[in-house]
Amino acid sequence: MTTGHSLKNIREKRSRFLSQTTFGPKLSEIDGWSHGTGVKGYADYIEAQMTLPPTFHRAYWRERIDYSLVMEHSRHSTQVPNHPCNKYSRWRDYTFTGSDYGKDFKVEAIEVAGRNETMLMISVLDPESRYYEPRTVVEVFEAYKDFNHGWECDTEAKSIYCGYAFGEGVNSYINYRPKDLTALPCRYLRNPKIYLPAEALDPDSTADLKLQYLGLPAKENFEDMPGVIAEYRDYWFIGQSWRMLVDNWDQTWSPQCSTLVDENNELDFRYLIGSVEGTGEQLHYDGYAVIPENTVENPLADGGASLTYHHSSRWTTCANSVMDFTNIDSCKLSVGDGCVPVEASFYRNNYKTEIQSGVLVCGSHGEAGNNPGFEDKYDNNMFRMFTNARS
């Protein structure tokens, strides 16, 4: 308050007090004040607030997480993708995703049975496995080069390095450059719909990772989840997907669920294509994150051990928290093996996972789980982000 300035009435004083002690005053709090006047009234207000259960920004954020994990990072944290056969698993019908930014792709001729003309297959390079994943087959690959050339066929090797426009959706715009980044300025194309005939299967039997196929329910068992505009590398449209509303494990016509190849329990289904019953429409699995609840009141029974990934070159830390005065009353021994909190682990300096039997497991405040089946799909408060996540 500056010299010579004074508050005119009790309502202004309450407003200033609430500005200092909350995220902002509300008229209902100012006019409904019931804590007396003067300093004692303010003290009564603070004491009453201290008796209320706390609300956590962390819980608000975690409950509203809704993004697709970049599949090569699916086991780098206790966030894991929803299994493709589970209810609310997510699928997409377009070729390129935000996680393809910086990856190379190629376009090559392919002969398809029943087609008189030669078609073109688009494949994207996985930088980890060095495997070109077939994404779709198109009749023509047209790119808009510039105003002089307009739309024309473009079959050179190329890389998605132009970030000022990117659309996750069929016919949304994708910007890219030829492989030589010093060459022409960005070109753009429309994101093609997925179409993978039998001829697009990888003939190389030595490849480490293969396309897998899964029968999916009829399209009426899917819900269209709209994308959102994100100011990330300028203008991106992200997150459009299809959410499956049934549990595929219960579908008698889909026995593939139990036979899907999942090496080392990585939950890595980055090359999984689903075929929709009735229409044969193809959808690509999109591993949207499922985050478990690990609150003080309800800690994970194994401290998150079952959610961690163990590999000689890649490790993830678990969700288990160290015991302290905030959670001591609800800690318990793990059921079977448990994950040792990283702070107490032998591997604390290199963040490796340590699994032991009979571990004390504890939760932490605000470590709520998210809801893959949230109802308001137009909720602008859902958190969609990049980094190890895509959208």
Side-chain angles (χ1 to χ4, degrees):
M1 191 188 311
T2 58
T3 303
H5 177 80
S6 62
L7 301 174
K8 297 178 181 179
N9 53 52
I10 190 63
R11 296 181 78 252
E12 289 189 0
K13 292 179 179 179
R14 291 171 184 168
S15 176
R16 183 183 68 173
F17 173 75
L18 292 170
S19 296
Q20 294 170 333
T21 56
T22 71
F23 285 103
K26 299 178 182 177
L27 285 176
S28 59
E29 292 178 319
I30 294 172
D31 296 332
W33 187 266
S34 61
H35 302 286
T37 59
V39 174
K40 186 179 185 306
Y42 297 147
D44 289 345
Y45 171 86
I46 293 175
E47 186 174 344
Q49 289 293 308
M50 292 174 67
T51 63
L52 297 175
T55 55
F56 298 99
H57 282 181
R58 183 189 189 195
Y60 185 92
W61 174 75
R62 286 174 62 94
E63 289 166 353
R64 289 163 177 78
I65 282 176
D66 181 52
Y67 55 70
S68 176
L69 294 168
V70 178
M71 296 308 295
E72 52 262 40
H73 295 291
S74 62
R75 277 300 207 181
H76 283 198
S77 71
T78 52
Q79 304 171 36
V80 296
N82 197 1
H83 191 281
C85 289
N86 289 351
K87 187 177 182 180
Y88 302 132
S89 63
R90 303 282 271 273
W91 301 77
R92 71 172 191 268
D93 57 0
Y94 47 89
T95 298
F96 294 107
T97 74
S99 61
D100 293 329
Y101 185 84
K103 295 180 180 179
D104 295 339
F105 69 99
K106 63 181 180 180
V107 182
E108 54 191 341
I110 183 174
E111 300 293 333
V112 177
R115 298 275 189 160
N116 293 326
E117 70 283 1
T118 299
M119 302 190 72
L120 298 172
M121 181 171 71
I122 302 173
S123 304
V124 177
L125 178 65
D126 184 324
E128 185 176 82
S129 65
R130 308 306 298 174
Y131 168 63
Y132 271 99
E133 176 199 359
R135 290 284 184 89
T136 193
V137 171
V138 295
E139 292 182 356
V140 62
F141 184 88
E142 283 190 328
Y144 191 89
K145 290 189 174 182
D146 52 46
F147 288 108
N148 294 325
H149 295 86
W151 292 90
E152 59 183 63
C153 187
D154 181 10
T155 57
E156 302 171 4
K158 45 197 61 74
S159 188
I160 302 176
Y161 267 104
C162 299
Y164 58 78
F166 196 104
E168 290 191 339
V170 175
N171 288 326
S172 295
Y173 285 112
I174 302 295
N175 284 270
Y176 72 95
R177 292 182 191 270
K179 189 66 177 296
D180 180 2
L181 299 182
T182 64
L184 296 173
C186 292
R187 303 170 181 178
Y188 64 87
L189 58 103
R190 291 189 179 275
N191 205 338
K193 188 176 177 66
I194 291 174
Y195 166 62
L196 286 170
E199 290 82 358
L201 295 178
D202 188 356
D204 181 4
S205 60
T206 64
D208 293 331
L209 297 168
K210 298 288 188 181
L211 286 176
Q212 298 190 72
Y213 282 83
L214 179 69
L216 295 177
K219 201 61 177 288
E220 59 263 27
N221 294 299
F222 288 83
E223 180 181 22
D224 184 13
M225 303 297 290
V228 296
I229 302 298
E231 293 185 5
Y232 181 81
R233 297 191 177 101
D234 296 321
Y235 174 86
W236 287 43
F237 174 78
I238 60 172
Q240 192 279 326
S241 63
W242 294 90
R243 181 166 66 179
M244 189 168 68
L245 301 178
V246 297
D247 193 331
N248 213 25
W249 294 98
D250 297 334
Q251 308 298 319
T252 56
W253 46 263
S254 186
Q256 306 102 308
C257 286
S258 59
T259 60
L260 286 175
V261 177
D262 181 18
E263 296 290 340
N264 300 316
N265 191 33
E266 290 189 53
L267 289 178
D268 184 353
F269 299 107
R270 71 182 94 165
Y271 303 134
L272 179 60
I273 300 293
S275 179
V276 176
E277 183 183 37
T279 64
E281 178 182 0
Q282 292 173 323
L283 302 176
H284 196 294
Y285 170 65
D286 229 358
Y288 271 64
V290 175
I291 299 183
E293 177 184 348
N294 187 45
T295 57
V296 169
E297 300 78 13
N298 188 33
L300 289 168
D302 62 357
S306 60
L307 299 175
T308 59
Y309 171 61
H310 319 290
H311 189 277
S312 59
S313 61
R314 287 191 295 162
W315 295 72
T316 62
T317 56
C318 57
N320 195 10
S321 300
V322 293
M323 184 178 66
D324 59 25
F325 72 95
T326 67
N327 59 20
I328 187 172
D329 293 333
S330 55
C331 295
K332 59 191 72 174
L333 287 178
S334 62
V335 178
D337 288 343
C339 191
V340 179
V342 65
E343 297 89 343
S345 172
F346 175 78
Y347 300 107
R348 60 185 176 275
N349 293 325
N350 52 12
Y351 297 97
K352 291 185 178 181
T353 306
E354 183 179 354
I355 305 296
Q356 299 286 347
S357 61
V359 172
L360 189 67
V361 295
C362 307
S364 63
H365 286 290
E367 200 169 340
N370 70 335
N371 176 19
F374 67 93
E375 294 183 3
D376 186 2
K377 62 182 181 179
Y378 297 101
D379 185 357
N380 291 323
N381 291 321
M382 302 305 294
F383 293 101
R384 302 172 169 100
M385 64 200 73
F386 287 80
T387 65
N388 279 356
R390 195 188 78 239
S391 52

